[in-house]
Amino acid sequence: MSFSFTNRSSRESLDFLKSYKPLNREVSHLRILLYGPVGAGKSSFVNSADAALRGRVTGRADTDSTMSESSCTKEYKTYKIKKDDQSFYSFVFNDIMGIEKNLNYGVSVDDLKLALQGHMKDNYKFNPVSPLTRNDPGYNSNPSLDDKVHILVGVIPANQASLLTDDMGVH
């Protein structure tokens, strides 16, 4: 299966994405963190964006969480999307463990804050009962502007919006 951008505004949007470069020279890419409940479609969004921009179906991020009640994503993972054989788009997606009603199972608010600040290294394995600490090998003690999250995207499935509660960090 392949995708194509046929209408004019879609082609213009794709051209913009292909040529986009962050204005700040200290930043090589925008970091976009996807955040939301288990099964919301965070990993599926990464796969969809990758497929649409590359023009073919890919399946880089695991997406089995809709079949279970716990998060499929167990590591902080950065996804770069190839523009062509030699370059990548100037943005990356970070997939994070889903939030859950039972705070002992989903991503902790402390881990989310550390990810936003750039303190979480790629491939850090989440432990819901013990958030990342300065002594952990997955802790980045000196984050650059590239390590910090520039855009936080809340992914919430329409059929679960009424299940979100204040204790899940959603206000």
Side-chain angles (χ1 to χ4, degrees):
M1 179 187 301
S2 67
F3 298 93
S4 64
F5 289 89
T6 54
N7 77 32
R8 184 175 176 171
S9 65
S10 294
R11 172 56 51 200
E12 289 170 358
S13 296
L14 182 60
D15 289 344
F16 172 79
L17 288 174
K18 283 184 176 181
S19 65
Y20 174 78
K21 297 281 185 225
L23 295 176
N24 186 327
R25 295 185 194 275
E26 294 179 45
V27 177
S28 63
H29 56 261
L30 291 179
R31 185 172 300 277
I32 303 166
L33 177 62
L34 304 174
Y35 168 74
V38 170
K42 297 175 297 297
S43 299
S44 294
F45 179 83
V46 170
N47 290 337
S48 295
D50 192 14
L53 293 170
R54 293 176 70 184
R56 62 185 170 86
V57 174
T58 62
R60 297 172 56 200
D62 291 336
T63 57
D64 292 339
S65 63
T66 56
M67 300 300 181
S68 71
E69 293 183 15
S70 63
S71 187
C72 181
T73 302
K74 304 293 185 196
E75 296 180 0
Y76 185 69
K77 188 83 173 153
T78 301
Y79 292 96
K80 295 179 180 180
I81 299 176
K82 280 191 168 192
K83 218 187 310 187
D84 52 44
D85 289 340
Q86 298 177 355
S87 65
F88 293 89
Y89 284 93
S90 295
F91 54 87
V92 298
F93 291 107
N94 276 100
D95 199 3
I96 197 166
M97 179 181 249
I99 56 173
E100 298 189 33
K101 272 189 171 183
N102 183 338
L103 297 180
N104 291 329
Y105 293 106
V107 66
S108 73
V109 172
D110 291 336
D111 274 350
L112 178 63
K113 288 177 184 176
L114 290 172
L116 289 168
Q117 297 165 355
H119 290 294
M120 191 171 286
K121 291 182 180 178
D122 201 31
N123 299 316
Y124 164 71
K125 291 185 192 308
F126 292 103
N127 181 347
V129 294
S130 178
L132 180 64
T133 65
R134 291 179 187 269
N135 299 328
D136 193 296
Y139 186 86
N140 179 1
S141 59
N142 191 19
S144 69
L145 283 177
D146 267 339
D147 296 326
K148 296 177 181 183
V149 172
H150 306 105
I151 301 169
L152 177 64
V153 175
V155 181
I156 302 169
N159 67 345
Q160 291 182 5
S162 65
L163 300 176
L164 299 176
T165 60
D166 284 346
D167 61 339
M168 296 173 79
V170 180
H171 302 284

